[in-house]
Amino acid sequence: MAATSHIFSVNLHLSQSPSTLASSFLPSRQFFPTSSPKFPSIKSLKRSLPGRITNINAVLSEREIPSKVSTVTKHCFSKSPIDGYLYCEGVKVQDVMDSAEKRPFYLYSKAQITRNFEAYKEALEGLDSSIIGYAIKANNNLKILQHLRSLGSGAVLVSGNELRLALHAGFDPTKCIFNGNGKTLEDLILAVEHGVFINIDSEFDLHNIVKAARSVGKRVPVLLRINPDVDPQVHSYVATGNKNSKFGIRNEKLDWFLHTIKSYPAELKLVGAHCHLGSTITKVDIFKDAAVLMFHYIDKIRKEGFEIEYLNIGGGLGIDYHHADAILPTPMDLIDTVRELVLSHDLKLIIEPGRSLIANTCCFINRVTGVKTNGAKNFIVVDGSMAELIRPSLYGAYQHIELVSPPAPDAEYAKFDVVGPVCESADFLGKDRELPTPDEGSGLVVHDAGAYCMSMASTYNLKMRPPEYWIDGEDIVKLRHGETFEDYMKFFIGL
């Protein structure tokens, strides 16, 4: 069946970097069937709309949206079986590249963020007053935070600045949880002032929370973060619930903590227990094992006279980074492991999703600088690097990589290491990837880049942190300015 022609508009909301704070505006673009006249050039657009267009790299090329692109897809970024291009929510990624700044950037699907949150919300139906606390450390883009807050999310914080950002984004402080094994007194005072939940992580943490409570003159709702000593079977860097972890209190110290909390009735109100096993967990039984232990501790805490209201089971669900159609636990699977126990113990549930809410909503978009061979190794060199996306270098993490556009008909397939320009042998985005040999300037994407990618970006080699965009309906909207050299130099003004 021939593809049906679609006529619609896409507004690209772009503005310049903070160093100029000058807005750019691109009017609605009409996309026509291939039989229509060619789209007017930038020069002709500027002539017809004087003063309305500034700092535009390119307009979107004309295109026809395939009529049979599946609307039910496991990944919001998917290749069209009709034209071979990569699409995000019906928008051709190549068109975004042609319009955005010519540098690496992150591209999100707003609709996928919504779908992911709604999956958690649906899973929690029947568990009244439960809290979905989004882990801000996974991705701290202000616009994304505001969107999640509008959907009803709370926030999980691990620093005073994350708390400040959450307040700026409009999160309800009573749906915020302050975690961390090294919270400072200054940050604790801020948390107490705003009435957020605070997790007790150690003896000194408890005493600092008491100091903060006395400084502010408020009683603090606290949870005990108990280390359940459950092996999450993940990379050791992201395992947080085993006995050798720096996080949480050892369960054999529980009696000491309960006795000490009782001695500060004016400062501390123990309202719950918390555990966090780690990240990228793919076996739901691991959560169940930890939950059974946690209910044992809750029963013990209640026998000591505490009115426990909350169980915080943390986050940590993994995603399909390999795009191998793996059957992974869903939010419903996770909640079902503890649902009956939560109800039978008359508890409210707190969960702390980060990666599973945001990772698969985003791609990191690069351009190919060139292809080379050294010894037995083939390399695709791109403009992105470990500075913008460090997970592969830091954890040996795998993220799926593919080209944005269909390769040339005569392109040879080979195994490549996809590397960046940073002066480190550790600077790679993927190794031994079977890919068609790309042309210079071709687009290349690293999938599932929404979590722990931009939030861990650096300016190593003075590569400036990249801009961020999302697809919002038919619009391509800028979410964050890319940093510039001028922004960097501002740190030295007046010194």
Side-chain angles (χ1 to χ4, degrees), residues 353-426:
R355 183 188 317 274
S356 56
L357 264 182
I358 197 70
N360 72 349
T361 71
C362 176
C363 276
F364 179 49
I365 316 293
N366 306 263
R367 287 178 174 82
V368 173
T369 304
V371 177
K372 65 183 292 186
T373 298
N374 277 347
K377 275 284 186 182
N378 301 312
F379 299 93
I380 297 175
V381 184
V382 297
D383 54 359
S385 70
M386 65 183 291
E388 295 91 352
L389 197 162
I390 199 173
R391 289 188 72 253
S393 299
L394 181 62
Y395 302 118
Y398 179 98
Q399 291 178 238
H400 186 61
I401 291 174
E402 65 180 327
L403 299 181
V404 168
S405 303
D410 58 348
E412 293 185 9
Y413 281 76
K415 279 191 175 181
F416 293 95
D417 284 5
V418 179
V419 301
V422 162
C423 193
E424 294 278 352
S425 294

Side-chain angles (χ1 to χ4, degrees), residues 14-17 55 57 96-105 367 467-469 478 480-484:
L14 299 174
S15 55
Q16 295 174 346
S17 71
N55 192 34
N57 294 323
V96 183
M97 290 184 65
D98 292 342
S99 297
E101 299 170 56
K102 194 173 182 181
R103 58 188 292 185
F105 63 91
R367 287 178 174 82
E468 295 176 282
Y469 305 84
K478 195 175 209 178
R480 175 178 170 138
H481 297 291
E483 294 177 10
T484 66

Side-chain angles (χ1 to χ4, degrees), residues 317-336:
L317 276 186
I319 68 162
D320 184 18
Y321 277 116
H322 285 264
H323 288 212
D325 295 323
I327 300 175
L328 298 176
T330 66
M332 188 68 76
D333 294 330
L334 170 61
I335 303 306
D336 281 347

